[in-house]
Every structure is written in structure tokens, then in C-alpha cells.
Amino acid sequence: MTTPRPSVLSYFSDDPTRVYQLLQWLPVLELLDESHPVGVVLRDPETATVVRERTTLPVFVAEEFNDLSELYAELDAKVVLYCNNGVRNFNSLINARMLHVHINHGESDKQSMVSNNAKAYDRVFVAGEAAVQRHRGALMELEESKLVRIGRPQLDLRPEPILPPSDRQTVLYAPTWEGDADYNCYTSVDVFGPQIVRALLAVPGVRIVYKPHPKVTTSEVPAVAAGHRAILDVLAWGAVRDPTAGHLAIPDGDILAVFAHCDAMVTDVSSVGLDWLYLRTEKPILITDRWEDRELLRTEAPVSRVADVVDSSNLADLTELVTARLAHDEHQLARTAMRHHYFDDLAVGDSTRRFTAAVTELVELRDRLLGVPAAVAVTA
């Protein structure tokens, strides 16, 4: 059987250190492929090697700009999706025969989630009302009609759990990385990480799981790398002290595959916290604040209003705080309302349907704009 020519492309220009941004979309793109043939366009051969191991979708490599131009002319696709704001996205945005859609690689309150780059795309897919307000507050002269609320399709997936069940309550520590600039640095690894894990190990009768962002494990920032090693040392010490507890670090794998057997989470401002809010609304969450500005945190990260905030002022009391939350979670009802703020009133499966419908609308719009007859559009 001849493979149909892709009508939708997923474009990714970065090297393997950032490929996690694309990998989380692959299962969703494979579902979209059932309605619209999808191809993956990459600029880095090493990235292509990683991606080909993870998907059955056709993968195209265009290292140079001329290669990309020739590929686009050959494929004549209709819609191209971007999961980040890589600098070389502009090589692709030059093409005027496709509609260009930014889909991002998560939903979070990091400042990097909103930039003037959004204006370069024909549409920007966002999760819900919180993302709309985030764009409205940060950008001048943004056409809000570009923002399309689709939820977060990855959260419709149900990956096989990679964390074994336990008779103990499990507390997950899932910090983010340091970002690519100070303004976008939210990690707790270097400032609080070892103390957080030490405090969690003192909570009676719990199992502690450490699941850092993929880029924490390869960080070249000395303080972050040292914090990560210290966390592993503290966790190893806890495992030796209590071999039956099952404390462990999970450096690789899908964070969503860890959630199922966890009873509380300590995290930073990141997409992980909002994924937890959506999937584990009934379970407590604690958010770190490395900048120690509670009012700013409440403004920029609304989820912190329905979480306990951890900073240097209460780090010494973290053991007692987590113990209390596992026994009585006073924020549960408020989290339900906050979930609606970030993700609308979506049930499992709704985001994928919204995503597919939004892409379908753009595929059809592209053909109308170029005057492609319906019969030709269907068989293309």
C-alpha cells in the first residue's frame, strides 16, 4: 500500500537535548494521522534517529534551508504544527502555502509560554482560559482570534504505569530544569532540592519518588548538577536506612506514567504541576518558590493559590506540612475550580477531539483560501 502524502506536518528543528518537547506529541499525532496523514519534519539527523525509534509516522530530514524548501514543494502539505519556538521555525514559516500552528509542548505558567513569537503563527492552540489571559496580559496588539482552546491532548493518553504500586503513601518530587535564562528559571533543585527530599524522607510511612525534568539530569549549570547529585545521595541514604520503603529515582520515562500511584506531589512552576491538577485533582500539590515572592507567584501562577507554597521560610516545617496534607487536604475543593480555569470543563478524550476538529478546520480553510476544489482536496 502506498503511504499517503502528508497533509499535516509536525516541524521540529532542535537537537536531541530538546526532543522531549516533540516526543510527548507523537502519540497524539498518530491519532490525528487516522484523520489526516501526518509527517514529521526534522532538521537534525541525530534527532531523527531518536524520533524514528518512537513513531511509525514518516520522518523527513531537511538539514539545510534549500532542502526544506524542496521538501515543502514536493509534499505540498496544508498545515504545519510547531511544538516550540525554535529559532529555525522561521525557515518554515516562510512557506505561504501552509497554515502555521503553534501547539507548544505543555501548559504552564512559565514566562516562556508567552512571547511575541505567537504573532508569527496563523493559530496558537492553548489549553484554556488561563492561557488566554496569560497571552492577553503579556502581549500588545495580539489578535485573540488566533487563540484556539483545545485543552491538553496528551492528558487523554493513559500510559502504562512505570511506578510499581506500594502499600505506603507515595510523595513525588518532580522539579523542573533551570530554563534558558534567569527570568525563566523556576527550578528548586539547586536552592531547595536536597532539603526537600530530606524533609520528605522524615514523613512517617511514605515512599519518596524523585522524577526530575529530563534536562536536570544533563544540566551544565554547576549548582543544578550538584543539587541533582545531592538529591540522589540523600535518596540513596534514605533507601539504606529503610530498605522496605521503596524510595527511588526515575530519571527517564513519561512523568504521566508516574502519577497513578502517587498521593501528593512537590513540584516547581511547570507543566508538571498543571498536568497533576488535571489528572490528580483530588490529591495535594505543593509548589516551590525559588524567588520567594508569594504575591508575584499568586499572580503569575494561579495554581499556587490552591497549593501549599514551599520556600526558605517554611522549609524547616515541610515534614509536618506534608504529613498534615496527606491526612487532611484542605485545598481539594479549590483545586477543582482551578482545574476549570486552566482546562475548561474537559473530560478525558475531549482535548483530542478538540485538537482533531481544530486541525480539520484549518486543513479545509487552507484549501478554500487557495481555491483547491473539494474533490482534489479529498484525494490529495
Side-chain angles (χ1 to χ4, degrees), residues 8 10 21-36 38 40 54-55 57 81 103-104 125 150-158 254 256 349-357 359:
V8 177
S10 175
Q21 298 172 340
L22 173 63
L23 295 182
Q24 64 172 277
W25 271 104
L26 292 179
V28 177
L29 295 175
E30 288 169 357
L31 292 173
L32 177 65
D33 185 63
E34 298 173 5
S35 302
H36 305 284
V38 176
V40 180
R54 299 288 292 272
T55 187
L57 296 172
L81 309 174
I103 59 177
N104 224 315
F125 287 0
I150 65 162
R152 180 129 151 77
Q154 291 91 338
L155 303 185
D156 290 339
L157 306 171
R158 286 296 178 267
D254 186 349
L256 302 182
D350 290 346
S351 294
T352 302
R353 285 187 284 272
R354 281 193 182 186
F355 174 67
T356 302
V359 172

Side-chain angles (χ1 to χ4, degrees), residues 75-138:
L75 295 178
D76 194 27
K78 304 177 182 185
V79 173
V80 57
L81 309 174
Y82 304 81
C83 68
N84 70 6
N85 280 313
V87 173
R88 290 202 292 175
N89 285 11
F90 284 91
N91 288 175
S92 175
L93 284 160
I94 289 174
N95 186 284
R97 289 185 57 85
M98 296 186 291
L99 291 176
H100 302 265
V101 184
H102 193 258
I103 59 177
N104 224 315
H105 54 276
E107 163 63 0
S108 85
D109 292 305
K110 291 182 176 181
Q111 290 191 41
S112 59
M113 286 293 295
V114 181
S115 75
N116 270 320
N117 290 325
K119 299 174 184 176
Y121 304 95
D122 297 297
R123 298 291 187 276
V124 177
F125 287 0
V126 298
E129 179 61 22
V132 171
Q133 292 185 13
R134 196 181 300 128
H135 282 79
R136 183 183 299 148

Side-chain angles (χ1 to χ4, degrees), residues 161-175 197 200-201 206-212 228 231-253 255 257-259 261-262:
I162 60 176
L163 177 66
S166 173
D167 293 334
R168 295 180 175 227
Q169 289 182 295
T170 297
V171 180
L172 172 65
Y173 175 43
V197 174
L200 295 179
L201 287 170
V206 298
R207 172 178 62 169
I208 307 305
V209 175
Y210 172 50
K211 179 67 175 76
H228 172 61
I231 290 168
L232 294 176
D233 289 343
V234 172
L235 196 63
W237 169 81
V240 170
R241 189 185 64 167
D242 187 355
T244 64
H247 307 312
L248 76 162
I250 304 179
D252 303 308
I255 183 69
V258 178
F259 282 1
H261 298 305
C262 295

Side-chain angles (χ1 to χ4, degrees), residues 136-209:
R136 183 183 299 148
L139 302 180
M140 297 182 291
E141 293 295 308
L142 174 70
E143 295 179 22
E144 286 194 26
S145 60
K146 286 187 173 188
L147 305 179
V148 180
R149 292 152 71 140
I150 65 162
R152 180 129 151 77
Q154 291 91 338
L155 303 185
D156 290 339
L157 306 171
R158 286 296 178 267
E160 192 69 25
I162 60 176
L163 177 66
S166 173
D167 293 334
R168 295 180 175 227
Q169 289 182 295
T170 297
V171 180
L172 172 65
Y173 175 43
T176 190
W177 69 301
E178 68 272 7
D180 47 15
D182 283 347
Y183 79 89
N184 201 42
C185 180
Y186 297 92
T187 186
S188 58
V189 169
D190 55 338
V191 289
F192 306 134
Q195 298 98 308
I196 286 174
V197 174
R198 196 172 291 112
L200 295 179
L201 287 170
V203 176
V206 298
R207 172 178 62 169
I208 307 305
V209 175

